[in-house]
Structure formats: structure tokens, C-alpha cells
Amino acid sequence: MFYYDDKDLVFTTSWQSLSVNSKFDESLKKLWNEKEDEGLFRYKYKEENVIVLPGKYGFLAVLNIDRGTKRRKPNIFTSVLEPFNDNLFNFTKVNEGEYLFKFNNTSSNSSNTDDILAINTSPLGYFHSLILPKINSKLPQIIDEYSLNIAIQLLLLSASPAIRVGFNSLCAFASVNHLHLHLYYLQYKMYLEYCDIEYFSGPCYKIIDYPSKGFVFVLKSGDSLSSFVKTVFIMINYLQQKNIPHNIFLTRALTKDLNTGDFNDLRNCVRVFIWARISSGDKRMDKFNPATCELFGHLVFKDKTEFSEVTENSVTKILKDITESSFLLIENDIKNLYLNIS
């Protein structure tokens, strides 16, 4: 069991202190490496080839052939709201040796001991792990306030600016209908960490000048985490009830210096990105699988030819195609959801 409390949450870090590890980082990395040494992964993760695509957005393209050839075959879903099916693969069926640890926030009154961090046996990045909230409750892949809250807490337990958390709904490249989020370390500075965002409605912002059309919420030091989560969940719940596929990505980010208007190098807030999108079964998505990491700008390729041919223009077209129509369809509804929320 990994115990922590609210005092362990780290709101400010920097790329200049990338080698600094918190107790959480040390525990995760040590256990993850031990699991790798024990041969519990389908392959040993390595960066076969990595390039930053020339252009404005600095898309990061990574070749990972093993993930394409050795990963468990994903299930196919037709609705965001499909109920849990115990006959399909789920995380209660994995070898418990894949669990890193259970975790619990002693500052809360929760007695839940079913929150687990486990390895992803087909990693897309270093220390790629799965957040499995209330694993034995067998919840479908529909995120709730509780799960979003603990995901943000785990991100803030890290001292690293490189930690990332992502969620794919069903029909948005989730491959298992059992509630889980992805956590990994991406040790490259990314455009969406510092890009300008535009005020939209209430606490909601819009991503501007970026091909993945979506919305942003910003958590700053001193903000109430529970209130923030309730606010973000208003949009998530809307997407769920409308059966709209969606991806969520959490990252540390910069805020502007109030005196100069410039960004500094400190990652001193959390940005939560939410994208409504077309279904992952759409035939337009044949170059790579644009799930939450790809919408963020981290492109995982499983084919050498596709990797060698990728350009910023080709990626821009794909990301715009899968998000723009959905964004425009819900934009006015989202504005109205937050009109009376400060």
C-alpha cells in the first residue's frame, strides 16, 4: 500500500529539475523496473526512433513497432455507454504480479483499498502504468469525479514535469471496458504545456491555434481540487450522456508571469484537456491511432513507412478531421453549461 496525504502534492516543478524524484516517483520507477526484470511485459520498451516534426507544433513522433505487433488485441465497442461485461477481458483477470501498489490518501475519509496502480504490459512510454480506480467494483470505462480526482492527485504526487495522465472513452480508442487511465512519463517539452488558451465560458477555456479542437481547464496552487473536479466533470458528464466519444489529457503546464505577461520555465499548474471527437472506428484514421496521447501531440507509430512519411501537415489534417466537427457541434452547449459558474 502506498500512503500519502494532501501535503505530499507538488504543484510546482521545472524541466531544470527533471532528475528530481518524489517518494511516489521513486516507488513507481523502482517497482516498474522490477516488473520488467521479471519478464511481465509483452516487450521491453525502448525508443526505436524519435523525431520532433519540423513546424510550429513540435509534434513528437515515436516509432514503437512492438506495441503494434505484441499488444493484446483490442475489443471493439459501438457505444460510449456500454455496460461492463465480465465475459470480456478486464483488469481483475490479470496476474496480480502486474500490480505496482494500492494507494490511499490518508487526508481523505475514504476507506477504499481497491485503487491500484499497475503496469501496462504493452507500454507506449517510460513507466507506462494504469490507474485502476475501485478495481473490484468492475466499473465500465466511464470516468467519474472520484477517478478524475485521484488521477490528478497521482499526477501531483510526482516531482517531475514529464508526468502525464490520459483517458480514452469507449469509441475513442479505449481497448478495455473496465475503468482505467494511463499514466506515463514523456520527457519532452510539448506545445500544449505552454500554448495560449482563450477564455470561453466560466472556468472553461478553448485551445486556440492547434489542430485538435477542444477545451481546457486550469488547476492552480491554492484551488480546491474537489471543486475543480466537479467543474470539469460537468463537461465530461455532458459528453457521456450524449454518447459522444471523448479523450482527456492531464499535464503540468505553465502560467504567465502576472507582471511581465511572459511564461517562465516553472510548471506551476495542471491543464486538463478535453476533446470530443468522431468515433475511433472511422475509416479516416489509417495512419496512426489518434487517441489521447496523439491529440496532445505525442504520436505513436507502429509502422516504419508511416513513421518515415509523417509531416506536420499530415498530422494536422488528421487531428482536425477527427475533432473539429464534434467541437463545433457542442460548442454552444458547453458555453451554456458554464455561463453561471465562476
Side-chain angles (χ1 to χ4, degrees), residues 242-266:
K242 295 289 186 181
N243 201 20
I244 298 173
H246 52 280
N247 303 100
I248 304 169
F249 199 89
L250 286 61
T251 186
R252 292 186 179 277
L254 300 88
T255 53
K256 285 185 177 180
D257 186 295
L258 296 178
N259 295 319
T260 66
D262 297 326
F263 287 114
N264 55 39
D265 193 50
L266 295 177

PDB file of all heavy atoms in Angstrom, residues 242-266:
ATOM      1  N   LYS A 242     -24.551  12.328 -23.789  1.00  0.00           N
ATOM      2  CA  LYS A 242     -24.832  12.479 -25.223  1.00  0.00           C
ATOM      3  C   LYS A 242     -24.205  11.363 -26.056  1.00  0.00           C
ATOM      4  O   LYS A 242     -24.334  11.359 -27.280  1.00  0.00           O
ATOM      5  CB  LYS A 242     -24.297  13.833 -25.710  1.00  0.00           C
ATOM      6  CG  LYS A 242     -24.994  15.052 -25.094  1.00  0.00           C
ATOM      7  CD  LYS A 242     -26.405  15.225 -25.609  1.00  0.00           C
ATOM      8  CE  LYS A 242     -27.027  16.514 -25.100  1.00  0.00           C
ATOM      9  NZ  LYS A 242     -28.419  16.699 -25.568  1.00  0.00           N
ATOM     10  N   ASN A 243     -23.511  10.438 -25.390  1.00  0.00           N
ATOM     11  CA  ASN A 243     -22.871   9.312 -26.071  1.00  0.00           C
ATOM     12  C   ASN A 243     -21.857   9.797 -27.114  1.00  0.00           C
ATOM     13  O   ASN A 243     -21.768   9.257 -28.219  1.00  0.00           O
ATOM     14  CB  ASN A 243     -23.924   8.408 -26.732  1.00  0.00           C
ATOM     15  CG  ASN A 243     -23.400   7.008 -26.999  1.00  0.00           C
ATOM     16  OD1 ASN A 243     -22.421   6.570 -26.410  1.00  0.00           O
ATOM     17  ND2 ASN A 243     -24.051   6.308 -27.916  1.00  0.00           N
ATOM     18  N   ILE A 244     -21.072  10.818 -26.730  1.00  0.00           N
ATOM     19  CA  ILE A 244     -20.080  11.401 -27.630  1.00  0.00           C
ATOM     20  C   ILE A 244     -18.694  10.884 -27.237  1.00  0.00           C
ATOM     21  O   ILE A 244     -18.254  11.080 -26.100  1.00  0.00           O
ATOM     22  CB  ILE A 244     -20.098  12.940 -27.550  1.00  0.00           C
ATOM     23  CG1 ILE A 244     -21.459  13.483 -27.995  1.00  0.00           C
ATOM     24  CG2 ILE A 244     -18.977  13.543 -28.408  1.00  0.00           C
ATOM     25  CD1 ILE A 244     -21.622  14.981 -27.781  1.00  0.00           C
ATOM     26  N   PRO A 245     -17.983  10.224 -28.136  1.00  0.00           N
ATOM     27  CA  PRO A 245     -16.623   9.768 -27.818  1.00  0.00           C
ATOM     28  C   PRO A 245     -15.741  10.951 -27.403  1.00  0.00           C
ATOM     29  O   PRO A 245     -15.867  12.046 -27.948  1.00  0.00           O
ATOM     30  CB  PRO A 245     -16.141   9.145 -29.127  1.00  0.00           C
ATOM     31  CG  PRO A 245     -17.390   8.783 -29.869  1.00  0.00           C
ATOM     32  CD  PRO A 245     -18.391   9.834 -29.510  1.00  0.00           C
ATOM     33  N   HIS A 246     -14.828  10.697 -26.452  1.00  0.00           N
ATOM     34  CA  HIS A 246     -14.005  11.793 -25.964  1.00  0.00           C
ATOM     35  C   HIS A 246     -12.692  11.274 -25.393  1.00  0.00           C
ATOM     36  O   HIS A 246     -12.575  10.112 -24.992  1.00  0.00           O
ATOM     37  CB  HIS A 246     -14.748  12.606 -24.894  1.00  0.00           C
ATOM     38  CG  HIS A 246     -15.310  11.783 -23.780  1.00  0.00           C
ATOM     39  ND1 HIS A 246     -16.496  11.081 -23.903  1.00  0.00           N
ATOM     40  CD2 HIS A 246     -14.864  11.537 -22.514  1.00  0.00           C
ATOM     41  CE1 HIS A 246     -16.762  10.449 -22.773  1.00  0.00           C
ATOM     42  NE2 HIS A 246     -15.775  10.701 -21.909  1.00  0.00           N
ATOM     43  N   ASN A 247     -11.715  12.161 -25.396  1.00  0.00           N
ATOM     44  CA  ASN A 247     -10.402  11.895 -24.817  1.00  0.00           C
ATOM     45  C   ASN A 247     -10.066  13.002 -23.830  1.00  0.00           C
ATOM     46  O   ASN A 247     -10.444  14.154 -24.029  1.00  0.00           O
ATOM     47  CB  ASN A 247      -9.317  11.837 -25.891  1.00  0.00           C
ATOM     48  CG  ASN A 247      -9.593  10.796 -26.960  1.00  0.00           C
ATOM     49  OD1 ASN A 247     -10.072  11.128 -28.032  1.00  0.00           O
ATOM     50  ND2 ASN A 247      -9.301   9.548 -26.672  1.00  0.00           N
ATOM     51  N   ILE A 248      -9.353  12.636 -22.766  1.00  0.00           N
ATOM     52  CA  ILE A 248      -8.967  13.577 -21.716  1.00  0.00           C
ATOM     53  C   ILE A 248      -7.464  13.437 -21.498  1.00  0.00           C
ATOM     54  O   ILE A 248      -6.940  12.312 -21.480  1.00  0.00           O
ATOM     55  CB  ILE A 248      -9.720  13.286 -20.404  1.00  0.00           C
ATOM     56  CG1 ILE A 248     -11.234  13.299 -20.639  1.00  0.00           C
ATOM     57  CG2 ILE A 248      -9.340  14.287 -19.318  1.00  0.00           C
ATOM     58  CD1 ILE A 248     -12.040  12.748 -19.460  1.00  0.00           C
ATOM     59  N   PHE A 249      -6.777  14.553 -21.331  1.00  0.00           N
ATOM     60  CA  PHE A 249      -5.333  14.503 -21.088  1.00  0.00           C
ATOM     61  C   PHE A 249      -4.971  15.506 -20.009  1.00  0.00           C
ATOM     62  O   PHE A 249      -5.408  16.661 -20.042  1.00  0.00           O
ATOM     63  CB  PHE A 249      -4.554  14.822 -22.370  1.00  0.00           C
ATOM     64  CG  PHE A 249      -3.131  14.361 -22.334  1.00  0.00           C
ATOM     65  CD1 PHE A 249      -2.788  13.085 -22.753  1.00  0.00           C
ATOM     66  CD2 PHE A 249      -2.114  15.198 -21.886  1.00  0.00           C
ATOM     67  CE1 PHE A 249      -1.469  12.643 -22.715  1.00  0.00           C
ATOM     68  CE2 PHE A 249      -0.797  14.766 -21.840  1.00  0.00           C
ATOM     69  CZ  PHE A 249      -0.476  13.487 -22.260  1.00  0.00           C
ATOM     70  N   LEU A 250      -4.183  15.059 -19.032  1.00  0.00           N
ATOM     71  CA  LEU A 250      -3.735  15.894 -17.928  1.00  0.00           C
ATOM     72  C   LEU A 250      -2.225  16.089 -18.033  1.00  0.00           C
ATOM     73  O   LEU A 250      -1.487  15.115 -18.201  1.00  0.00           O
ATOM     74  CB  LEU A 250      -4.037  15.233 -16.577  1.00  0.00           C
ATOM     75  CG  LEU A 250      -5.459  15.190 -16.035  1.00  0.00           C
ATOM     76  CD1 LEU A 250      -6.399  14.427 -16.947  1.00  0.00           C
ATOM     77  CD2 LEU A 250      -5.456  14.547 -14.645  1.00  0.00           C
ATOM     78  N   THR A 251      -1.782  17.323 -17.902  1.00  0.00           N
ATOM     79  CA  THR A 251      -0.344  17.596 -17.940  1.00  0.00           C
ATOM     80  C   THR A 251      -0.017  18.787 -17.054  1.00  0.00           C
ATOM     81  O   THR A 251      -0.860  19.671 -16.853  1.00  0.00           O
ATOM     82  CB  THR A 251       0.128  17.872 -19.378  1.00  0.00           C
ATOM     83  OG1 THR A 251       1.560  18.003 -19.412  1.00  0.00           O
ATOM     84  CG2 THR A 251      -0.482  19.150 -19.939  1.00  0.00           C
ATOM     85  N   ARG A 252       1.171  18.804 -16.521  1.00  0.00           N
ATOM     86  CA  ARG A 252       1.658  20.025 -15.882  1.00  0.00           C
ATOM     87  C   ARG A 252       1.863  21.075 -16.961  1.00  0.00           C
ATOM     88  O   ARG A 252       2.184  20.754 -18.107  1.00  0.00           O
ATOM     89  CB  ARG A 252       2.977  19.760 -15.162  1.00  0.00           C
ATOM     90  CG  ARG A 252       2.833  18.837 -13.944  1.00  0.00           C
ATOM     91  CD  ARG A 252       4.157  18.761 -13.208  1.00  0.00           C
ATOM     92  NE  ARG A 252       4.095  17.933 -12.024  1.00  0.00           N
ATOM     93  CZ  ARG A 252       3.664  18.342 -10.832  1.00  0.00           C
ATOM     94  NH1 ARG A 252       3.225  19.595 -10.693  1.00  0.00           N
ATOM     95  NH2 ARG A 252       3.656  17.532  -9.799  1.00  0.00           N
ATOM     96  N   ALA A 253       1.694  22.334 -16.596  1.00  0.00           N
ATOM     97  CA  ALA A 253       1.808  23.395 -17.589  1.00  0.00           C
ATOM     98  C   ALA A 253       2.309  24.672 -16.931  1.00  0.00           C
ATOM     99  O   ALA A 253       2.540  24.717 -15.712  1.00  0.00           O
ATOM    100  CB  ALA A 253       0.454  23.637 -18.267  1.00  0.00           C
ATOM    101  N   LEU A 254       2.476  25.711 -17.754  1.00  0.00           N
ATOM    102  CA  LEU A 254       2.953  26.995 -17.277  1.00  0.00           C
ATOM    103  C   LEU A 254       1.805  27.973 -17.153  1.00  0.00           C
ATOM    104  O   LEU A 254       0.821  27.892 -17.885  1.00  0.00           O
ATOM    105  CB  LEU A 254       3.971  27.596 -18.266  1.00  0.00           C
ATOM    106  CG  LEU A 254       5.246  26.830 -18.586  1.00  0.00           C
ATOM    107  CD1 LEU A 254       5.036  25.886 -19.730  1.00  0.00           C
ATOM    108  CD2 LEU A 254       6.368  27.815 -18.915  1.00  0.00           C
ATOM    109  N   THR A 255       1.940  28.881 -16.237  1.00  0.00           N
ATOM    110  CA  THR A 255       1.062  30.057 -16.227  1.00  0.00           C
ATOM    111  C   THR A 255       1.924  31.279 -16.497  1.00  0.00           C
ATOM    112  O   THR A 255       3.132  31.276 -16.271  1.00  0.00           O
ATOM    113  CB  THR A 255       0.351  30.221 -14.870  1.00  0.00           C
ATOM    114  OG1 THR A 255       1.323  30.215 -13.817  1.00  0.00           O
ATOM    115  CG2 THR A 255      -0.630  29.103 -14.641  1.00  0.00           C
ATOM    116  N   LYS A 256       1.304  32.323 -16.979  1.00  0.00           N
ATOM    117  CA  LYS A 256       2.059  33.526 -17.321  1.00  0.00           C
ATOM    118  C   LYS A 256       2.454  34.308 -16.076  1.00  0.00           C
ATOM    119  O   LYS A 256       1.729  34.336 -15.083  1.00  0.00           O
ATOM    120  CB  LYS A 256       1.222  34.422 -18.242  1.00  0.00           C
ATOM    121  CG  LYS A 256       1.122  33.930 -19.676  1.00  0.00           C
ATOM    122  CD  LYS A 256       0.391  34.943 -20.543  1.00  0.00           C
ATOM    123  CE  LYS A 256       0.352  34.485 -21.993  1.00  0.00           C
ATOM    124  NZ  LYS A 256      -0.350  35.445 -22.866  1.00  0.00           N
ATOM    125  N   ASP A 257       3.604  34.949 -16.149  1.00  0.00           N
ATOM    126  CA  ASP A 257       4.024  35.876 -15.108  1.00  0.00           C
ATOM    127  C   ASP A 257       3.080  37.070 -15.122  1.00  0.00           C
ATOM    128  O   ASP A 257       2.912  37.734 -16.148  1.00  0.00           O
ATOM    129  CB  ASP A 257       5.466  36.326 -15.351  1.00  0.00           C
ATOM    130  CG  ASP A 257       6.007  37.189 -14.223  1.00  0.00           C
ATOM    131  OD1 ASP A 257       5.477  38.307 -14.038  1.00  0.00           O
ATOM    132  OD2 ASP A 257       6.961  36.756 -13.567  1.00  0.00           O
ATOM    133  N   LEU A 258       2.442  37.356 -13.999  1.00  0.00           N
ATOM    134  CA  LEU A 258       1.440  38.425 -13.959  1.00  0.00           C
ATOM    135  C   LEU A 258       2.048  39.800 -14.203  1.00  0.00           C
ATOM    136  O   LEU A 258       1.370  40.722 -14.646  1.00  0.00           O
ATOM    137  CB  LEU A 258       0.709  38.400 -12.610  1.00  0.00           C
ATOM    138  CG  LEU A 258      -0.125  37.147 -12.327  1.00  0.00           C
ATOM    139  CD1 LEU A 258      -0.746  37.222 -10.938  1.00  0.00           C
ATOM    140  CD2 LEU A 258      -1.208  36.978 -13.383  1.00  0.00           C
ATOM    141  N   ASN A 259       3.328  39.948 -13.917  1.00  0.00           N
ATOM    142  CA  ASN A 259       3.989  41.255 -14.091  1.00  0.00           C
ATOM    143  C   ASN A 259       4.443  41.488 -15.516  1.00  0.00           C
ATOM    144  O   ASN A 259       4.285  42.576 -16.060  1.00  0.00           O
ATOM    145  CB  ASN A 259       5.186  41.367 -13.138  1.00  0.00           C
ATOM    146  CG  ASN A 259       4.755  41.361 -11.681  1.00  0.00           C
ATOM    147  OD1 ASN A 259       3.765  41.986 -11.318  1.00  0.00           O
ATOM    148  ND2 ASN A 259       5.499  40.636 -10.845  1.00  0.00           N
ATOM    149  N   THR A 260       5.002  40.448 -16.145  1.00  0.00           N
ATOM    150  CA  THR A 260       5.570  40.620 -17.484  1.00  0.00           C
ATOM    151  C   THR A 260       4.681  40.096 -18.597  1.00  0.00           C
ATOM    152  O   THR A 260       4.849  40.481 -19.760  1.00  0.00           O
ATOM    153  CB  THR A 260       6.925  39.906 -17.572  1.00  0.00           C
ATOM    154  OG1 THR A 260       6.715  38.487 -17.455  1.00  0.00           O
ATOM    155  CG2 THR A 260       7.869  40.373 -16.474  1.00  0.00           C
ATOM    156  N   GLY A 261       3.750  39.194 -18.251  1.00  0.00           N
ATOM    157  CA  GLY A 261       2.921  38.581 -19.287  1.00  0.00           C
ATOM    158  C   GLY A 261       3.627  37.466 -20.025  1.00  0.00           C
ATOM    159  O   GLY A 261       3.092  36.883 -20.966  1.00  0.00           O
ATOM    160  N   ASP A 262       4.872  37.155 -19.578  1.00  0.00           N
ATOM    161  CA  ASP A 262       5.648  36.100 -20.227  1.00  0.00           C
ATOM    162  C   ASP A 262       5.515  34.795 -19.463  1.00  0.00           C
ATOM    163  O   ASP A 262       5.169  34.768 -18.284  1.00  0.00           O
ATOM    164  CB  ASP A 262       7.134  36.492 -20.289  1.00  0.00           C
ATOM    165  CG  ASP A 262       7.360  37.745 -21.127  1.00  0.00           C
ATOM    166  OD1 ASP A 262       6.618  37.931 -22.116  1.00  0.00           O
ATOM    167  OD2 ASP A 262       8.272  38.521 -20.781  1.00  0.00           O
ATOM    168  N   PHE A 263       5.840  33.692 -20.154  1.00  0.00           N
ATOM    169  CA  PHE A 263       5.903  32.396 -19.496  1.00  0.00           C
ATOM    170  C   PHE A 263       7.295  32.199 -18.913  1.00  0.00           C
ATOM    171  O   PHE A 263       8.287  32.634 -19.486  1.00  0.00           O
ATOM    172  CB  PHE A 263       5.620  31.263 -20.491  1.00  0.00           C
ATOM    173  CG  PHE A 263       4.177  31.169 -20.908  1.00  0.00           C
ATOM    174  CD1 PHE A 263       3.802  31.434 -22.213  1.00  0.00           C
ATOM    175  CD2 PHE A 263       3.208  30.799 -20.001  1.00  0.00           C
ATOM    176  CE1 PHE A 263       2.475  31.330 -22.611  1.00  0.00           C
ATOM    177  CE2 PHE A 263       1.878  30.688 -20.389  1.00  0.00           C
ATOM    178  CZ  PHE A 263       1.517  30.957 -21.687  1.00  0.00           C
ATOM    179  N   ASN A 264       7.370  31.551 -17.753  1.00  0.00           N
ATOM    180  CA  ASN A 264       8.667  31.135 -17.246  1.00  0.00           C
ATOM    181  C   ASN A 264       8.770  29.617 -17.384  1.00  0.00           C
ATOM    182  O   ASN A 264       7.900  28.987 -17.968  1.00  0.00           O
ATOM    183  CB  ASN A 264       8.870  31.591 -15.797  1.00  0.00           C
ATOM    184  CG  ASN A 264       7.735  31.118 -14.888  1.00  0.00           C
ATOM    185  OD1 ASN A 264       7.263  29.999 -15.034  1.00  0.00           O
ATOM    186  ND2 ASN A 264       7.310  31.966 -13.967  1.00  0.00           N
ATOM    187  N   ASP A 265       9.827  29.033 -16.854  1.00  0.00           N
ATOM    188  CA  ASP A 265      10.046  27.612 -17.063  1.00  0.00           C
ATOM    189  C   ASP A 265       9.374  26.743 -15.997  1.00  0.00           C
ATOM    190  O   ASP A 265       9.458  25.533 -16.045  1.00  0.00           O
ATOM    191  CB  ASP A 265      11.555  27.307 -17.089  1.00  0.00           C
ATOM    192  CG  ASP A 265      11.843  25.912 -17.625  1.00  0.00           C
ATOM    193  OD1 ASP A 265      11.309  25.568 -18.694  1.00  0.00           O
ATOM    194  OD2 ASP A 265      12.575  25.156 -16.953  1.00  0.00           O
ATOM    195  N   LEU A 266       8.710  27.357 -15.031  1.00  0.00           N
ATOM    196  CA  LEU A 266       8.092  26.587 -13.969  1.00  0.00           C
ATOM    197  C   LEU A 266       6.769  25.980 -14.425  1.00  0.00           C
ATOM    198  O   LEU A 266       5.918  26.682 -14.966  1.00  0.00           O
ATOM    199  CB  LEU A 266       7.846  27.469 -12.745  1.00  0.00           C
ATOM    200  CG  LEU A 266       9.082  28.026 -12.030  1.00  0.00           C
ATOM    201  CD1 LEU A 266       8.664  28.941 -10.895  1.00  0.00           C
ATOM    202  CD2 LEU A 266       9.964  26.896 -11.511  1.00  0.00           C
TER     203      LEU A 266
END
